[in-house]
Amino acid sequence: MADDHTHIRDFFTARAADWDARFPDDGPAFAAAVSALGLRAGDAVLDAGCGTGRALPALRSAVGPRGTVLGADLTPAMLEAAARAGRDRSGLLVQADAARLPVRTQSLDAVFAAGLIAHLPQPERNLAELARVVRPGGLLALFHPIGRAALAARHRRTLTDDDLRAEPNLVPLLALSGWRLDTYFDEEARFLVLAERMG
Ligand SMILES: C[S@@+](CC[C@H](N)C(=O)[O-])C[C@H]1O[C@@H](n2cnc3c(N)ncnc32)[C@H](O)[C@@H]1O
């Protein structure tokens, strides 16, 4: 189906089969980022833009067998790769747009989103949709297994002041979409933002 997201689907469809092989050493960074969310047994968590589901095993470990783990992604090929890797044993995989989640309001304890924010066409509105599905006091993790400067270098682009994920830009953006920044790390080996759903 052709829609606004065709280019995103095309981009990630072409990369789905070898996505995990391209980044074989990211496991510990994902586990540490999930750990920073402080999930408890029985919690409900969404991995928004889950791709091949690299975070799902760690999310399942954190919430235990009674918890709920959802992985949502726009790109069927990424979800198929997730299933081939057995990540559907850790969570329910759903083809969905993070901008219109098939999830009840305030039904989740947390949202984890790795490598997603740069792909959101309307960041304020789309982050507000993530806020909609999380209970007040619940958490959002925006994560990337390398920092902004390293990612820009990998993509051969220059980091500019208008970068969405720069702290001075992200703090007001989060506030406008229902989140209060708790923690901001932009280091060589990780980008991790934790924000709390405002009441
Ligand atoms: C950089 S990849 C990251 C995948 C995975 N989170 C990881 O870190 O390995 C971005 C993913 O976000 C998905 N995506 C982009 N825009 C989306 C949207 N609006 N809703 C849901 N998924 C989206 C893409 O299909 C892709 O799988």
Side-chain angles (χ1 to χ4, degrees), residues 13-59:
T13 296
R15 288 160 179 77
D18 66 347
W19 186 259
D20 288 15
R22 288 173 65 196
F23 309 110
D25 303 323
D26 286 350
F30 271 81
V34 168
S35 170
L37 262 179
L39 292 164
R40 292 167 303 187
D43 276 355
V45 60
L46 166 71
D47 183 356
C50 67
T52 58
R54 296 193 293 169
L56 296 182
L59 291 170

mmCIF file of all heavy atoms in Angstrom, residues 13-59:
data_model
loop_
_atom_site.group_PDB
_atom_site.id
_atom_site.type_symbol
_atom_site.label_atom_id
_atom_site.label_comp_id
_atom_site.label_asym_id
_atom_site.label_seq_id
_atom_site.Cartn_x
_atom_site.Cartn_y
_atom_site.Cartn_z
ATOM 1 N N THR A 13 13.114 -2.224 4.280
ATOM 2 C CA THR A 13 12.924 -3.532 3.634
ATOM 3 C C THR A 13 14.242 -3.988 3.006
ATOM 4 O O THR A 13 14.626 -5.159 3.105
ATOM 5 C CB THR A 13 11.821 -3.442 2.563
ATOM 6 O OG1 THR A 13 10.589 -3.136 3.217
ATOM 7 C CG2 THR A 13 11.672 -4.745 1.794
ATOM 8 N N ALA A 14 14.945 -3.041 2.394
ATOM 9 C CA ALA A 14 16.216 -3.382 1.739
ATOM 10 C C ALA A 14 17.288 -3.796 2.749
ATOM 11 O O ALA A 14 18.260 -4.462 2.384
ATOM 12 C CB ALA A 14 16.705 -2.190 0.921
ATOM 13 N N ARG A 15 17.115 -3.413 4.007
ATOM 14 C CA ARG A 15 18.142 -3.672 5.024
ATOM 15 C C ARG A 15 17.735 -4.744 6.028
ATOM 16 O O ARG A 15 18.536 -5.123 6.898
ATOM 17 C CB ARG A 15 18.459 -2.365 5.760
ATOM 18 C CG ARG A 15 19.247 -1.399 4.899
ATOM 19 C CD ARG A 15 19.159 0.035 5.377
ATOM 20 N NE ARG A 15 19.945 0.910 4.519
ATOM 21 C CZ ARG A 15 19.566 1.330 3.313
ATOM 22 N NH1 ARG A 15 18.397 0.947 2.820
ATOM 23 N NH2 ARG A 15 20.352 2.095 2.586
ATOM 24 N N ALA A 16 16.509 -5.224 5.959
ATOM 25 C CA ALA A 16 15.978 -6.088 7.019
ATOM 26 C C ALA A 16 16.765 -7.388 7.170
ATOM 27 O O ALA A 16 17.078 -7.797 8.292
ATOM 28 C CB ALA A 16 14.507 -6.390 6.739
ATOM 29 N N ALA A 17 17.094 -8.027 6.047
ATOM 30 C CA ALA A 17 17.669 -9.368 6.128
ATOM 31 C C ALA A 17 19.007 -9.378 6.860
ATOM 32 O O ALA A 17 19.316 -10.328 7.580
ATOM 33 C CB ALA A 17 17.822 -9.946 4.721
ATOM 34 N N ASP A 18 19.804 -8.327 6.676
ATOM 35 C CA ASP A 18 21.127 -8.352 7.343
ATOM 36 C C ASP A 18 21.260 -7.281 8.428
ATOM 37 O O ASP A 18 22.363 -6.924 8.823
ATOM 38 C CB ASP A 18 22.256 -8.245 6.316
ATOM 39 C CG ASP A 18 22.266 -6.895 5.617
ATOM 40 O OD1 ASP A 18 21.267 -6.166 5.756
ATOM 41 O OD2 ASP A 18 23.273 -6.574 4.959
ATOM 42 N N TRP A 19 20.116 -6.789 8.917
ATOM 43 C CA TRP A 19 20.159 -5.726 9.937
ATOM 44 C C TRP A 19 20.977 -6.162 11.159
ATOM 45 O O TRP A 19 21.891 -5.460 11.602
ATOM 46 C CB TRP A 19 18.739 -5.349 10.359
ATOM 47 C CG TRP A 19 18.678 -4.180 11.289
ATOM 48 C CD1 TRP A 19 18.505 -4.219 12.645
ATOM 49 C CD2 TRP A 19 18.806 -2.799 10.935
ATOM 50 N NE1 TRP A 19 18.508 -2.948 13.161
ATOM 51 C CE2 TRP A 19 18.690 -2.054 12.133
ATOM 52 C CE3 TRP A 19 18.998 -2.122 9.731
ATOM 53 C CZ2 TRP A 19 18.767 -0.669 12.155
ATOM 54 C CZ3 TRP A 19 19.076 -0.735 9.754
ATOM 55 C CH2 TRP A 19 18.965 -0.029 10.964
ATOM 56 N N ASP A 20 20.668 -7.311 11.717
ATOM 57 C CA ASP A 20 21.354 -7.739 12.941
ATOM 58 C C ASP A 20 22.831 -8.023 12.672
ATOM 59 O O ASP A 20 23.690 -7.725 13.507
ATOM 60 C CB ASP A 20 20.696 -8.993 13.519
ATOM 61 C CG ASP A 20 19.332 -8.680 14.127
ATOM 62 O OD1 ASP A 20 18.792 -7.582 13.854
ATOM 63 O OD2 ASP A 20 18.811 -9.531 14.870
ATOM 64 N N ALA A 21 23.122 -8.580 11.487
ATOM 65 C CA ALA A 21 24.512 -8.912 11.161
ATOM 66 C C ALA A 21 25.371 -7.654 11.010
ATOM 67 O O ALA A 21 26.579 -7.686 11.247
ATOM 68 C CB ALA A 21 24.559 -9.740 9.877
ATOM 69 N N ARG A 22 24.735 -6.542 10.646
ATOM 70 C CA ARG A 22 25.505 -5.293 10.482
ATOM 71 C C ARG A 22 25.929 -4.722 11.829
ATOM 72 O O ARG A 22 26.889 -3.958 11.905
ATOM 73 C CB ARG A 22 24.657 -4.238 9.743
ATOM 74 C CG ARG A 22 24.472 -4.553 8.281
ATOM 75 C CD ARG A 22 23.492 -3.580 7.654
ATOM 76 N NE ARG A 22 23.990 -2.215 7.642
ATOM 77 C CZ ARG A 22 23.235 -1.139 7.439
ATOM 78 N NH1 ARG A 22 21.933 -1.275 7.258
ATOM 79 N NH2 ARG A 22 23.746 0.056 7.414
ATOM 80 N N PHE A 23 25.183 -5.054 12.860
ATOM 81 C CA PHE A 23 25.465 -4.467 14.189
ATOM 82 C C PHE A 23 25.552 -5.593 15.229
ATOM 83 O O PHE A 23 24.738 -5.657 16.161
ATOM 84 C CB PHE A 23 24.355 -3.476 14.580
ATOM 85 C CG PHE A 23 24.067 -2.454 13.506
ATOM 86 C CD1 PHE A 23 22.871 -2.495 12.793
ATOM 87 C CD2 PHE A 23 24.990 -1.463 13.200
ATOM 88 C CE1 PHE A 23 22.600 -1.552 11.806
ATOM 89 C CE2 PHE A 23 24.726 -0.524 12.206
ATOM 90 C CZ PHE A 23 23.530 -0.571 11.507
ATOM 91 N N PRO A 24 26.547 -6.477 15.092
ATOM 92 C CA PRO A 24 26.548 -7.691 15.919
ATOM 93 C C PRO A 24 26.895 -7.444 17.384
ATOM 94 O O PRO A 24 26.627 -8.310 18.223
ATOM 95 C CB PRO A 24 27.624 -8.558 15.252
ATOM 96 C CG PRO A 24 28.540 -7.580 14.584
ATOM 97 C CD PRO A 24 27.671 -6.430 14.146
ATOM 98 N N ASP A 25 27.470 -6.278 17.697
ATOM 99 C CA ASP A 25 27.977 -6.070 19.065
ATOM 100 C C ASP A 25 27.069 -5.205 19.928
ATOM 101 O O ASP A 25 27.471 -4.762 21.001
ATOM 102 C CB ASP A 25 29.367 -5.413 18.999
ATOM 103 C CG ASP A 25 30.328 -6.260 18.185
ATOM 104 O OD1 ASP A 25 30.240 -7.504 18.272
ATOM 105 O OD2 ASP A 25 31.146 -5.670 17.446
ATOM 106 N N ASP A 26 25.849 -4.938 19.446
ATOM 107 C CA ASP A 26 24.986 -3.988 20.152
ATOM 108 C C ASP A 26 24.234 -4.588 21.343
ATOM 109 O O ASP A 26 23.612 -3.852 22.114
ATOM 110 C CB ASP A 26 23.939 -3.397 19.185
ATOM 111 C CG ASP A 26 24.552 -2.383 18.224
ATOM 112 O OD1 ASP A 26 25.721 -2.010 18.424
ATOM 113 O OD2 ASP A 26 23.847 -1.975 17.286
ATOM 114 N N GLY A 27 24.260 -5.914 21.471
ATOM 115 C CA GLY A 27 23.448 -6.571 22.509
ATOM 116 C C GLY A 27 23.610 -5.978 23.896
ATOM 117 O O GLY A 27 22.615 -5.611 24.542
ATOM 118 N N PRO A 28 24.844 -5.857 24.403
ATOM 119 C CA PRO A 28 25.000 -5.327 25.769
ATOM 120 C C PRO A 28 24.462 -3.898 25.911
ATOM 121 O O PRO A 28 23.904 -3.538 26.954
ATOM 122 C CB PRO A 28 26.524 -5.379 25.983
ATOM 123 C CG PRO A 28 26.996 -6.453 25.046
ATOM 124 C CD PRO A 28 26.102 -6.365 23.846
ATOM 125 N N ALA A 29 24.608 -3.081 24.870
ATOM 126 C CA ALA A 29 24.105 -1.701 24.947
ATOM 127 C C ALA A 29 22.582 -1.695 25.033
ATOM 128 O O ALA A 29 21.990 -0.911 25.791
ATOM 129 C CB ALA A 29 24.573 -0.902 23.732
ATOM 130 N N PHE A 30 21.928 -2.564 24.273
ATOM 131 C CA PHE A 30 20.472 -2.663 24.364
ATOM 132 C C PHE A 30 20.062 -3.127 25.763
ATOM 133 O O PHE A 30 19.119 -2.584 26.360
ATOM 134 C CB PHE A 30 19.923 -3.625 23.304
ATOM 135 C CG PHE A 30 19.605 -2.956 21.997
ATOM 136 C CD1 PHE A 30 20.596 -2.698 21.079
ATOM 137 C CD2 PHE A 30 18.312 -2.556 21.701
ATOM 138 C CE1 PHE A 30 20.318 -2.059 19.876
ATOM 139 C CE2 PHE A 30 18.012 -1.910 20.508
ATOM 140 C CZ PHE A 30 19.022 -1.672 19.598
ATOM 141 N N ALA A 31 20.774 -4.144 26.281
ATOM 142 C CA ALA A 31 20.422 -4.662 27.611
ATOM 143 C C ALA A 31 20.578 -3.568 28.665
ATOM 144 O O ALA A 31 19.725 -3.419 29.556
ATOM 145 C CB ALA A 31 21.298 -5.870 27.942
ATOM 146 N N ALA A 32 21.635 -2.769 28.553
ATOM 147 C CA ALA A 32 21.859 -1.705 29.534
ATOM 148 C C ALA A 32 20.790 -0.627 29.420
ATOM 149 O O ALA A 32 20.315 -0.094 30.437
ATOM 150 C CB ALA A 32 23.251 -1.106 29.345
ATOM 151 N N ALA A 33 20.388 -0.300 28.195
ATOM 152 C CA ALA A 33 19.360 0.730 28.012
ATOM 153 C C ALA A 33 18.020 0.253 28.576
ATOM 154 O O ALA A 33 17.304 1.018 29.227
ATOM 155 C CB ALA A 33 19.226 1.076 26.530
ATOM 156 N N VAL A 34 17.688 -1.000 28.342
ATOM 157 C CA VAL A 34 16.444 -1.546 28.902
ATOM 158 C C VAL A 34 16.519 -1.541 30.423
ATOM 159 O O VAL A 34 15.566 -1.164 31.117
ATOM 160 C CB VAL A 34 16.185 -2.965 28.353
ATOM 161 C CG1 VAL A 34 15.071 -3.646 29.137
ATOM 162 C CG2 VAL A 34 15.825 -2.900 26.868
ATOM 163 N N SER A 35 17.671 -1.895 30.941
ATOM 164 C CA SER A 35 17.840 -1.913 32.394
ATOM 165 C C SER A 35 17.613 -0.519 32.988
ATOM 166 O O SER A 35 17.013 -0.367 34.064
ATOM 167 C CB SER A 35 19.238 -2.446 32.705
ATOM 168 O OG SER A 35 19.528 -2.280 34.044
ATOM 169 N N ALA A 36 18.051 0.501 32.276
ATOM 170 C CA ALA A 36 17.903 1.884 32.773
ATOM 171 C C ALA A 36 16.433 2.286 32.905
ATOM 172 O O ALA A 36 16.114 3.205 33.656
ATOM 173 C CB ALA A 36 18.629 2.847 31.839
ATOM 174 N N LEU A 37 15.551 1.611 32.192
ATOM 175 C CA LEU A 37 14.117 1.923 32.297
ATOM 176 C C LEU A 37 13.534 1.505 33.652
ATOM 177 O O LEU A 37 12.473 1.983 34.041
ATOM 178 C CB LEU A 37 13.341 1.194 31.192
ATOM 179 C CG LEU A 37 12.979 1.952 29.931
ATOM 180 C CD1 LEU A 37 12.247 1.039 28.956
ATOM 181 C CD2 LEU A 37 12.127 3.182 30.226
ATOM 182 N N GLY A 38 14.217 0.575 34.323
ATOM 183 C CA GLY A 38 13.750 0.157 35.646
ATOM 184 C C GLY A 38 12.392 -0.527 35.627
ATOM 185 O O GLY A 38 11.585 -0.344 36.537
ATOM 186 N N LEU A 39 12.143 -1.316 34.593
ATOM 187 C CA LEU A 39 10.864 -2.032 34.513
ATOM 188 C C LEU A 39 10.755 -3.043 35.645
ATOM 189 O O LEU A 39 11.763 -3.573 36.126
ATOM 190 C CB LEU A 39 10.763 -2.763 33.160
ATOM 191 C CG LEU A 39 10.645 -1.853 31.936
ATOM 192 C CD1 LEU A 39 10.946 -2.630 30.656
ATOM 193 C CD2 LEU A 39 9.250 -1.229 31.881
ATOM 194 N N ARG A 40 9.494 -3.318 36.032
ATOM 195 C CA ARG A 40 9.256 -4.304 37.089
ATOM 196 C C ARG A 40 8.474 -5.488 36.539
ATOM 197 O O ARG A 40 7.797 -5.365 35.507
ATOM 198 C CB ARG A 40 8.474 -3.663 38.237
ATOM 199 C CG ARG A 40 9.278 -2.617 38.985
ATOM 200 C CD ARG A 40 8.396 -1.801 39.875
ATOM 201 N NE ARG A 40 7.334 -1.170 39.080
ATOM 202 C CZ ARG A 40 6.479 -0.287 39.545
ATOM 203 N NH1 ARG A 40 6.542 0.084 40.791
ATOM 204 N NH2 ARG A 40 5.560 0.234 38.774
ATOM 205 N N ALA A 41 8.546 -6.600 37.271
ATOM 206 C CA ALA A 41 7.802 -7.790 36.863
ATOM 207 C C ALA A 41 6.329 -7.437 36.714
ATOM 208 O O ALA A 41 5.746 -6.751 37.568
ATOM 209 C CB ALA A 41 7.982 -8.887 37.903
ATOM 210 N N GLY A 42 5.739 -7.853 35.611
ATOM 211 C CA GLY A 42 4.321 -7.606 35.373
ATOM 212 C C GLY A 42 4.029 -6.338 34.596
ATOM 213 O O GLY A 42 2.886 -6.106 34.207
ATOM 214 N N ASP A 43 5.048 -5.524 34.366
ATOM 215 C CA ASP A 43 4.832 -4.285 33.620
ATOM 216 C C ASP A 43 4.460 -4.566 32.158
ATOM 217 O O ASP A 43 4.720 -5.660 31.624
ATOM 218 C CB ASP A 43 6.103 -3.417 33.633
ATOM 219 C CG ASP A 43 6.203 -2.557 34.895
ATOM 220 O OD1 ASP A 43 5.263 -2.572 35.701
ATOM 221 O OD2 ASP A 43 7.236 -1.886 35.059
ATOM 222 N N ALA A 44 3.887 -3.537 31.524
ATOM 223 C CA ALA A 44 3.543 -3.592 30.095
ATOM 224 C C ALA A 44 4.390 -2.568 29.360
ATOM 225 O O ALA A 44 4.395 -1.387 29.728
ATOM 226 C CB ALA A 44 2.061 -3.292 29.901
ATOM 227 N N VAL A 45 5.095 -3.009 28.316
ATOM 228 C CA VAL A 45 6.032 -2.130 27.617
ATOM 229 C C VAL A 45 5.914 -2.327 26.110
ATOM 230 O O VAL A 45 5.703 -3.434 25.629
ATOM 231 C CB VAL A 45 7.483 -2.375 28.099
ATOM 232 C CG1 VAL A 45 7.946 -3.806 27.845
ATOM 233 C CG2 VAL A 45 8.458 -1.377 27.475
ATOM 234 N N LEU A 46 6.048 -1.211 25.399
ATOM 235 C CA LEU A 46 6.036 -1.218 23.935
ATOM 236 C C LEU A 46 7.423 -0.869 23.428
ATOM 237 O O LEU A 46 8.028 0.107 23.899
ATOM 238 C CB LEU A 46 5.049 -0.151 23.437
ATOM 239 C CG LEU A 46 5.152 0.224 21.948
ATOM 240 C CD1 LEU A 46 4.651 -0.916 21.059
ATOM 241 C CD2 LEU A 46 4.355 1.508 21.665
ATOM 242 N N ASP A 47 7.909 -1.638 22.449
ATOM 243 C CA ASP A 47 9.102 -1.240 21.691
ATOM 244 C C ASP A 47 8.587 -0.625 20.389
ATOM 245 O O ASP A 47 8.114 -1.334 19.495
ATOM 246 C CB ASP A 47 9.978 -2.468 21.423
ATOM 247 C CG ASP A 47 11.274 -2.102 20.708
ATOM 248 O OD1 ASP A 47 11.462 -0.919 20.360
ATOM 249 O OD2 ASP A 47 12.097 -3.019 20.485
ATOM 250 N N ALA A 48 8.645 0.703 20.303
ATOM 251 C CA ALA A 48 8.108 1.426 19.140
ATOM 252 C C ALA A 48 9.184 1.530 18.068
ATOM 253 O O ALA A 48 10.279 2.020 18.331
ATOM 254 C CB ALA A 48 7.652 2.818 19.561
ATOM 255 N N GLY A 49 8.869 1.041 16.859
ATOM 256 C CA GLY A 49 9.889 0.949 15.815
ATOM 257 C C GLY A 49 10.863 -0.161 16.167
ATOM 258 O O GLY A 49 12.077 0.002 16.093
ATOM 259 N N CYS A 50 10.297 -1.317 16.527
ATOM 260 C CA CYS A 50 11.115 -2.414 17.091
ATOM 261 C C CYS A 50 12.049 -3.036 16.075
ATOM 262 O O CYS A 50 13.003 -3.717 16.446
ATOM 263 C CB CYS A 50 10.219 -3.488 17.682
ATOM 264 S SG CYS A 50 9.227 -4.382 16.444
ATOM 265 N N GLY A 51 11.787 -2.824 14.777
ATOM 266 C CA GLY A 51 12.650 -3.407 13.756
ATOM 267 C C GLY A 51 12.700 -4.912 13.881
ATOM 268 O O GLY A 51 11.662 -5.588 13.927
ATOM 269 N N THR A 52 13.925 -5.452 13.963
ATOM 270 C CA THR A 52 14.095 -6.902 14.072
ATOM 271 C C THR A 52 13.964 -7.387 15.512
ATOM 272 O O THR A 52 14.265 -8.543 15.791
ATOM 273 C CB THR A 52 15.479 -7.310 13.525
ATOM 274 O OG1 THR A 52 16.492 -6.597 14.267
ATOM 275 C CG2 THR A 52 15.605 -6.967 12.048
ATOM 276 N N GLY A 53 13.535 -6.505 16.393
ATOM 277 C CA GLY A 53 13.217 -6.923 17.763
ATOM 278 C C GLY A 53 14.425 -7.116 18.649
ATOM 279 O O GLY A 53 14.380 -7.913 19.602
ATOM 280 N N ARG A 54 15.478 -6.358 18.389
ATOM 281 C CA ARG A 54 16.703 -6.590 19.168
ATOM 282 C C ARG A 54 16.508 -6.324 20.657
ATOM 283 O O ARG A 54 17.207 -6.911 21.482
ATOM 284 C CB ARG A 54 17.835 -5.717 18.627
ATOM 285 C CG ARG A 54 18.216 -6.080 17.206
ATOM 286 C CD ARG A 54 19.509 -5.459 16.796
ATOM 287 N NE ARG A 54 19.450 -4.003 16.695
ATOM 288 C CZ ARG A 54 20.515 -3.224 16.551
ATOM 289 N NH1 ARG A 54 21.717 -3.772 16.533
ATOM 290 N NH2 ARG A 54 20.380 -1.918 16.422
ATOM 291 N N ALA A 55 15.572 -5.429 21.011
ATOM 292 C CA ALA A 55 15.365 -5.114 22.435
ATOM 293 C C ALA A 55 14.385 -6.083 23.111
ATOM 294 O O ALA A 55 14.279 -6.095 24.334
ATOM 295 C CB ALA A 55 14.834 -3.687 22.573
ATOM 296 N N LEU A 56 13.681 -6.869 22.319
ATOM 297 C CA LEU A 56 12.563 -7.617 22.899
ATOM 298 C C LEU A 56 12.994 -8.645 23.955
ATOM 299 O O LEU A 56 12.332 -8.755 24.998
ATOM 300 C CB LEU A 56 11.734 -8.276 21.795
ATOM 301 C CG LEU A 56 11.047 -7.300 20.828
ATOM 302 C CD1 LEU A 56 10.203 -8.052 19.792
ATOM 303 C CD2 LEU A 56 10.165 -6.301 21.561
ATOM 304 N N PRO A 57 14.084 -9.409 23.736
ATOM 305 C CA PRO A 57 14.467 -10.364 24.797
ATOM 306 C C PRO A 57 14.774 -9.676 26.125
ATOM 307 O O PRO A 57 14.368 -10.163 27.195
ATOM 308 C CB PRO A 57 15.694 -11.073 24.203
ATOM 309 C CG PRO A 57 15.488 -10.979 22.714
ATOM 310 C CD PRO A 57 14.880 -9.615 22.510
ATOM 311 N N ALA A 58 15.474 -8.544 26.066
ATOM 312 C CA ALA A 58 15.791 -7.834 27.318
ATOM 313 C C ALA A 58 14.524 -7.270 27.956
ATOM 314 O O ALA A 58 14.365 -7.283 29.185
ATOM 315 C CB ALA A 58 16.792 -6.709 27.045
ATOM 316 N N LEU A 59 13.591 -6.781 27.123
ATOM 317 C CA LEU A 59 12.334 -6.263 27.672
ATOM 318 C C LEU A 59 11.543 -7.393 28.338
ATOM 319 O O LEU A 59 10.987 -7.215 29.429
ATOM 320 C CB LEU A 59 11.506 -5.597 26.568
ATOM 321 C CG LEU A 59 12.091 -4.288 26.015
ATOM 322 C CD1 LEU A 59 11.326 -3.831 24.767
ATOM 323 C CD2 LEU A 59 12.077 -3.180 27.070
#
